[in-house]
Amino acid sequence: GNIIYKLFFEENSFCASTSSIIQESPSEFSIVALEDSEVIVYSANIFRKLITEHHDLALFQIAYLEKNWVVKKEPLEINLKSESAKQRYKELHANQKLFNRLKQHQIASYLGITPTQLSRIRRELNF
């Protein structure tokens, strides 16, 4: 089937299926590196043990989840329901560091539109 890009993570980010970890069940999606990456892999059980044993790591985990899975994710969910693809494209385009590294089909998938629709939006915006 078609690949659906849900979220893009930049350098120094942690990516995981948080619900999969919490529920201890397989994830319903895959994580794909779009560029060469260094990956550190921990099983959920080992990571839980680490945060139990190291208070500073537990505090880091809480702060990271609050910032990246609540504060950043909520506006994305609202935007998906309330903003047009054109407006979401503008917002993605504003992050030039990330935007310039993405292929057009990845952007179209992330926006939930076809590559043809994306071409029309780009032409309208003259980007």
Side-chain angles (χ1 to χ4, degrees):
N2 292 333
I3 294 174
I4 298 170
Y5 291 90
K6 177 182 169 187
L7 197 56
F8 297 110
F9 291 90
E10 295 180 76
E11 293 82 3
N12 303 313
S13 295
F14 296 102
C15 56
S17 172
T18 307
S19 62
S20 177
I21 293 169
I22 292 168
Q23 297 175 29
E24 297 182 5
S25 63
S27 176
E28 294 189 31
F29 60 87
S30 300
I31 297 171
V32 177
L34 300 178
E35 299 174 336
D36 289 342
S37 303
E38 285 188 40
V39 179
I40 300 170
V41 179
Y42 284 97
S43 71
N45 291 334
I46 290 173
F47 186 72
R48 281 196 178 113
K49 184 178 179 198
L50 284 172
I51 61 174
T52 300
E53 293 173 356
H54 301 280
H55 185 69
D56 56 338
L57 186 57
L59 293 175
F60 171 81
Q61 168 77 354
I62 291 167
Y64 185 84
L65 288 173
E66 288 174 346
K67 178 182 174 193
N68 293 285
W69 294 103
V70 178
V71 175
K72 282 187 178 179
K73 192 173 177 189
E74 189 171 282
L76 291 172
E77 292 169 344
I78 293 168
N79 292 350
L80 187 59
K81 298 283 186 183
S82 65
E83 292 184 352
S84 68
K86 185 190 294 186
Q87 183 58 37
R88 289 183 286 126
Y89 179 83
K90 287 179 185 179
E91 290 172 15
L92 183 60
H93 186 267
N95 182 352
Q96 284 290 293
K97 182 179 173 193
L98 173 64
F99 184 87
N100 289 331
R101 296 156 57 187
L102 299 173
K103 295 182 170 98
Q104 295 305 301
H105 73 277
Q106 294 165 338
I107 294 170
S109 172
Y110 173 76
L111 296 173
I113 60 176
T114 66
T116 302
Q117 290 169 308
L118 178 59
S119 292
R120 287 185 196 125
I121 289 171
R122 292 180 70 218
R123 201 171 25 253
E124 285 177 32
L125 297 173
N126 201 22
F127 282 173

